[in-house]
Amino acid sequence: MDTLNFDGSCDPNPGGIMGFGWIINWSTGKKPTEGSKEKKPSPSNTNNVAEYTALKEGISNYLKLGGKGPLHVRGDSKLVISQMSGKWKVNNENLAKIKEETASIIKKHNLKVKFTWVPREQNSIADRLALPKSRRNKVSKTESKTSKESSVKPENRKFVADVNSSSVSSKLRLQINELNTSPSPGFKSFAQLKVGGFDSFSRKKLETLQKEAGSKASSIAKKEFPKNSSQQASALRWMLRGLSTDLAIKKVKVDIELSKKRKK
């Protein structure tokens, strides 16, 4: 079976340059085919849009090169793989449009496709190809090591709640999914993550949040913010909204830093 590995990137996320990368391994044994494209910065650019576009471009390229299938598609985006497999719903119009376009291409060519999620380390070539050309050959060993030490890989993140089942707005759900699937979310991404008023978690007190989140999550929040119950509550709210435990802690720390800057 032919295989297609794909990956997408947006730097910075959102709004930055999008990169799309893919590699086709042919069952016939011929040399693998690599491909990549870029898109200029735009407010609508996001990591998930890049991931979906990389998938669409990869499949289109496969067909142009004479691929007939069956095709085994592999990617490290749980969002894209789960939605293309029909396991998760698509709650964003931009993603829904690209998903429909991709599904139409598959249907038009009667292409049999199997979708499989893989860890990022098993998607390294597509990951490299997805980087903008200006960055592709400039990622030093030091930067790679620092990134690994300072962040949790998406596939290893722990969750208290599933954002796709959580009672949050569609816009917030998209933002949370973007962060959860991003290897190293930046300060700006956390700063832009806002409820936009109040939701079902906003008015819940710490005791209630601790019961709903569970003892393990509550212990993590208490360990990170031992002297501030308000910050503990904030971290638990983000966990219950669907943000991974490590990112929920980072979100609160970014908010603390922003608050300090506003007071200066």
Side-chain angles (χ1 to χ4, degrees), residues 1-2 62-63 66-71 111-112:
M1 182 184 291
D2 298 330
Y62 171 75
L63 292 167
K68 303 295 183 181
L71 179 65
L111 183 65
K112 291 184 179 180

Side-chain angles (χ1 to χ4, degrees), residues 1-263:
M1 182 184 291
D2 298 330
T3 62
L4 167 70
N5 280 61
F6 72 95
D7 205 352
S9 70
C10 182
D11 185 29
N13 180 50
I17 298 174
M18 287 200 301
F20 322 119
W22 62 89
I23 177 170
I24 302 166
N25 285 286
W26 304 92
S27 58
T28 57
K30 71 176 181 179
K31 185 179 179 180
T33 304
E34 296 183 0
S36 63
K37 286 187 177 182
E38 289 184 15
K39 183 180 178 182
K40 294 180 180 180
S42 169
S44 61
N45 289 358
T46 69
N47 272 332
N48 284 337
V49 169
E51 292 275 8
Y52 257 113
T53 305
L55 170 62
K56 177 184 172 183
E57 292 287 347
I59 290 178
S60 297
N61 191 256
Y62 171 75
L63 292 167
K64 287 178 182 177
L65 292 172
K68 303 295 183 181
L71 179 65
H72 187 186
V73 174
R74 295 153 44 99
D76 57 30
S77 169
K78 281 191 176 181
L79 181 76
V80 174
I81 294 297
S82 297
Q83 289 180 344
M84 288 300 299
S85 301
K87 296 177 181 178
W88 291 3
K89 293 181 179 179
V90 184
N91 298 301
N92 176 268
E93 290 184 6
N94 290 337
L95 299 185
K97 181 181 178 182
I98 307 173
K99 178 183 181 294
E100 182 59 35
E101 291 172 349
T102 305
S104 295
I105 292 171
I106 292 172
K107 185 177 180 180
K108 179 181 178 181
H109 292 84
N110 196 28
L111 183 65
K112 291 184 179 180
V113 182
K114 175 184 177 182
F115 292 96
T116 301
W117 174 83
V118 294
R120 191 183 181 194
E121 56 265 27
Q122 293 181 24
N123 203 38
S124 58
I125 297 177
D127 181 68
R128 173 180 58 79
L129 292 168
L131 291 173
K133 290 181 180 179
S134 58
R135 283 192 57 207
R136 196 174 298 168
N137 298 317
K138 294 182 180 180
V139 179
S140 67
K141 292 182 180 180
T142 302
E143 288 176 323
S144 298
K145 182 179 179 181
T146 301
S147 177
K148 290 178 181 178
E149 292 176 346
S150 62
S151 63
V152 178
K153 293 179 180 179
E155 62 269 20
N156 293 331
R157 289 192 171 124
K158 306 298 181 183
F159 297 89
V160 169
D162 180 2
V163 65
N164 294 296
S165 302
S166 183
S167 56
V168 297
S169 67
S170 57
K171 180 180 179 181
L172 186 60
R173 181 176 291 110
L174 175 63
Q175 287 180 294
I176 291 175
N177 266 319
E178 287 279 355
L179 286 166
N180 285 339
T181 56
S182 177
S184 301
F187 185 93
K188 184 178 178 181
S189 296
F190 286 106
Q192 293 177 335
L193 183 65
K194 298 177 182 178
V195 175
F198 294 93
D199 62 9
S200 61
F201 302 101
S202 300
R203 292 186 175 86
K204 290 184 178 181
K205 295 183 179 180
L206 180 59
E207 185 177 348
T208 302
L209 293 166
Q210 288 173 331
K211 288 181 180 179
E212 293 185 6
S215 59
K216 191 170 183 179
S218 299
S219 296
I220 292 172
K222 188 174 183 179
K223 181 180 179 181
E224 292 290 339
F225 312 107
K227 298 180 180 180
N228 195 309
S229 59
S230 177
Q231 291 167 359
Q232 290 177 38
S234 182
L236 292 174
R237 288 189 186 100
W238 283 112
M239 291 180 198
L240 289 167
R241 288 178 180 122
L243 198 61
S244 67
T245 53
D246 64 302
L247 297 184
I249 297 300
K250 288 184 180 180
K251 165 59 179 169
V252 176
K253 289 182 177 179
V254 167
D255 287 347
I256 293 171
E257 189 171 340
L258 288 171
S259 179
K260 289 179 180 178
K261 288 182 178 180
R262 284 193 290 267
K263 291 178 180 179

